[in-house]
Amino acid sequence: MSDFVKKQLEEIWQKTLTLIADSGFFDPSVFHTWIKDSELYDIDDDFATIVVPYQINKTVIKDSLTFIQQKLSAVLEREIAAQVFSRDEIDRISLSSLAKTRNAIVFENKIKPEYTFENFIIGKSNREAQAAALSCCYYPGKFNNPLFIYGNSGLGKTHLLHAIGNYIRTNQPQAQVLYIYSEDFVTLLIESMKNKTVEEVKEKIAAVDYLLIDDIQRLTQSASQEIFFNLYNKLISDHKQIVITSDIHPNELRGIENRLISRFSSGLSVTIAAPEFETAKAILSKKIEGREDEVMIDDAVLDFLALKFSSDVRKLEGTLNELFFKAILYNPERIDLTFAKEIFREDPIMQRESSELSVKQIKKCVCDYYGLTKHQIESKSRTKNISTARQIAMYLCRKHLELPYVKIGLEFGGRDHSTALSSCEKMSKLLKENEVLHQAFLQIERKLGIG
């Protein structure tokens, strides 16, 4: 236990909560429901323990722990990491044993058995990522090392990490696999530095055959990066396989040392984009597989959901579950298109960042819709889903901003004006011929408030 008395901890946390509330990071209702009732239990060196009433509060806070750590660090005027426990957990575990418990939790098997290669739906948007992940199982440490999988949240990156882990555990049971979330990795390293057990932890990690690290963009603590850099070099030199996921391309990472970014880029970087219509529908069909007798749902409903919610696989699956729940609640004879449209009315128009539409807003809206990054839409990539999104964004800039083709070309990776002209003409033609693409275009316009 630290030398901080309860009153000091209360004052520090109250200042932190004020900063969090004033930042606008959380919706006021979310803050008052899930954040406000937390307390600062202890500060030991550069490590804080936060306690919340229930497990659901813990889940909400853990999802935003990096932001909360930043605010607490600002109050204390030094960098600090944090861990979160529910009141029940604190009552069961004495603080003196927390370090040992944390380490055991981090190193325990966290591979989720439900995520496999067999139930990963493959489409144009994720085929390369799936093939690269599978190749790591066949040829570990040889060709794609590290494998860096990037793309927006909810598109299947974590599924592939667990699929690798499950494949190895089934086919190579003697191999050691460690799946770890980057913030848990930081917590582990900070605790080991505090307890002078860094070498022990490093040896344990260096012994694994597969290191699967999720959301590397959160590895922003400088001391942790130094240790990770040394571990990374050791694993690579020993031909151990490293697989990393991130929301963004390695070159877009912020707060990560350049030498690490350089090493991430030295392997294979593949993206996962939002699923195209066919893949989204296949995902929905997989979800209702074996339930056809109990779920009477029209095929047109699956088309509707696949078209409307394909930008996020989690949201896609969540909307199907919501639809089933509403069907149980309202008991229609069958789930038809009329019922589905009533349940999922049009999303509100996207709030603009300013009163005038801009190229930046168009790029952001198109990227969000297709699950891409700004780097991808401006890149030289000719992958179909990326080139289609790029052409739509260019066409929107021409149609609604009336930008000259020279300007459009410059805004999208310094392309020639003839390329911008060709892209706009091609999209104009495709929108007349392809109804699915036309509907996607109309949805983007509505989200921009121009449809």
Side-chain angles (χ1 to χ4, degrees):
M1 195 79 173
S2 71
D3 293 330
F4 284 92
V5 297
K6 185 176 180 180
K7 185 176 180 180
Q8 288 176 306
L9 293 170
E10 289 174 349
E11 290 175 352
I12 291 169
W13 193 237
Q14 188 55 53
K15 291 178 182 178
T16 303
L17 289 176
T18 300
L19 287 180
I20 293 171
D22 291 346
S23 71
F25 184 86
F26 295 102
D27 182 91
S29 61
V30 173
F31 175 82
H32 284 92
T33 304
W34 308 116
I35 310 296
K36 189 178 178 182
D37 291 336
S38 59
E39 64 177 275
L40 186 59
Y41 187 83
D42 187 42
I43 300 175
D44 192 357
D45 293 333
D46 292 327
F47 208 90
T49 299
I50 301 168
V51 175
V52 294
Y54 307 107
Q55 281 291 335
I56 191 168
N57 302 72
K58 178 180 174 179
T59 300
V60 173
I61 287 185
K62 281 197 74 174
D63 285 343
S64 305
L65 192 58
T66 299
F67 173 78
I68 293 170
Q69 286 175 168
Q70 291 172 352
K71 296 305 177 186
L72 180 56
S73 298
V75 172
L76 293 170
E77 298 183 344
R78 59 188 172 93
E79 190 171 353
I80 194 161
Q83 60 185 344
V84 187
F85 289 93
S86 68
R87 173 54 60 186
D88 284 347
E89 289 171 330
I90 283 292
D91 289 343
R92 290 197 305 265
I93 306 171
S94 66
L95 205 58
S96 61
S97 66
L98 284 181
K100 184 177 180 180
T101 302
R102 272 197 305 271
N103 289 4
I105 290 172
V106 168
F107 279 108
E108 70 184 13
N109 176 24
K110 292 187 177 180
I111 302 297
K112 296 181 179 179
E114 64 269 25
Y115 292 142
T116 66
F117 284 114
E118 287 73 22
N119 61 24
F120 184 82
I121 303 300
I122 304 171
K124 295 176 183 178
S125 59
N126 59 27
R127 189 180 304 279
E128 290 184 2
Q130 187 271 348
L134 195 55
S135 74
C136 290
C137 301
Y138 295 149
Y139 310 104
K142 292 184 178 180
F143 304 117
N144 306 327
N145 205 18
L147 173 61
F148 194 102
I149 306 173
Y150 66 99
N152 281 357
S153 178
L155 298 180
K157 302 187 301 295
T158 299
H159 187 138
L160 285 178
L161 284 187
H162 288 282
I164 292 171
N166 281 310
Y167 183 95
I168 298 304
R169 290 187 178 279
T170 300
N171 296 280
Q172 303 173 37
Q174 75 284 358
Q176 294 188 50
V177 181
L178 175 61
Y179 166 83
I180 188 167
Y181 188 65
S182 61
E183 287 187 342
D184 289 336
F185 187 83
V186 171
T187 299
L188 174 67
L189 294 180
I190 289 176
E191 185 62 27
S192 68
M193 286 184 276
K194 187 171 67 176
N195 294 327
K196 298 181 173 57
T197 58
V198 174
E199 292 306 315
E200 179 184 334
V201 169
K202 285 170 62 177
E203 285 179 14
K204 197 166 184 178
I205 295 175
V208 305
D209 299 292
Y210 289 80
L211 176 61
L212 314 176
I213 185 163
D214 214 352
D215 280 345
I216 198 68
Q217 73 273 6
R218 298 181 183 274
L219 187 73
T220 54
Q221 210 267 351
S222 56
S224 299
Q225 288 186 43
E226 177 66 31
I227 296 173
F228 180 70
F229 177 78
N230 294 326
L231 274 171
Y232 176 96
N233 289 336
K234 171 66 174 170
L235 289 166
I236 292 291
S237 67
D238 290 344
H239 304 291
K240 305 295 185 66
Q241 182 65 52
I242 301 175
V243 186
I244 300 167
T245 71
S246 171
D247 286 348
I248 53 180
H249 187 276
N251 293 335
E252 293 182 318
L253 289 169
R254 297 292 179 266
I256 304 290
E257 295 179 9
N258 288 334
R259 59 180 179 168
L260 274 175
I261 293 175
S262 174
R263 280 159 175 76
F264 296 159
S265 302
S266 68
L268 176 66
S269 296
V270 292
T271 185
I272 292 185
E276 65 285 351
F277 172 79
E278 292 82 1
T279 305
K281 186 174 180 181
I283 291 170
L284 293 171
S285 298
K286 185 72 174 178
K287 288 285 288 183
I288 63 174
E289 197 174 83
R291 301 178 61 185
E292 291 84 356
D293 292 339
E294 61 180 279
V295 179
M296 302 293 289
I297 183 168
D298 289 350
D299 194 62
V301 175
L302 300 184
D303 290 345
F304 170 74
L305 296 179
L307 186 63
K308 187 175 177 63
F309 299 107
S310 63
S311 62
D312 185 325
V313 174
R314 290 196 192 105
K315 185 175 182 180
L316 183 68
E317 295 176 344
T319 53
L320 183 64
N321 291 333
E322 182 180 350
L323 188 62
F324 288 164
F325 172 76
K326 294 293 177 63
I328 293 171
L329 188 64
Y330 298 113
N331 196 29
E333 290 187 6
R334 63 185 298 110
I335 302 174
D336 59 16
L337 191 57
T338 301
F339 180 78
K341 284 186 174 181
E342 178 63 23
I343 298 301
F344 302 112
R345 294 188 179 93
E346 292 298 325
D347 294 334
I349 293 174
M350 186 180 81
Q351 294 294 320
R352 295 190 187 174
E353 294 176 9
S354 64
S355 59
E356 295 295 327
L357 186 65
S358 66
V359 175
K360 180 180 178 182
Q361 288 173 333
I362 289 174
K363 285 182 182 178
K364 184 179 186 306
C365 187
V366 173
C367 284
D368 288 347
Y369 185 85
Y370 282 99
L372 301 173
T373 66
K374 179 174 174 287
H375 172 84
Q376 288 175 291
I377 206 171
E378 294 176 354
S379 71
K380 303 298 183 184
S381 174
R382 295 185 180 181
T383 303
K384 186 176 179 182
N385 65 303
I386 296 177
S387 61
T388 298
R390 184 188 302 124
Q391 289 165 3
I392 285 179
M394 286 181 164
Y395 184 67
L396 285 166
C397 290
R398 180 66 178 176
K399 178 182 178 182
H400 295 289
L401 301 180
E402 298 182 350
L403 293 182
Y405 292 116
V406 172
K407 174 67 172 172
I408 294 174
L410 291 173
E411 289 284 356
F412 288 85
R415 286 173 163 77
D416 185 81
H417 76 281
S418 60
T419 302
L421 171 61
S422 174
S423 295
C424 291
E425 289 180 343
K426 181 178 180 180
M427 184 50 58
S428 178
K429 182 180 179 182
L430 285 173
L431 289 174
K432 296 174 183 176
E433 300 172 349
N434 189 320
E435 180 59 25
V436 172
L437 184 63
H438 180 65
Q439 290 300 320
F441 183 81
L442 292 178
Q443 285 191 43
I444 292 170
E445 283 192 318
R446 285 195 290 272
K447 288 178 180 294
L448 284 165
I450 54 179

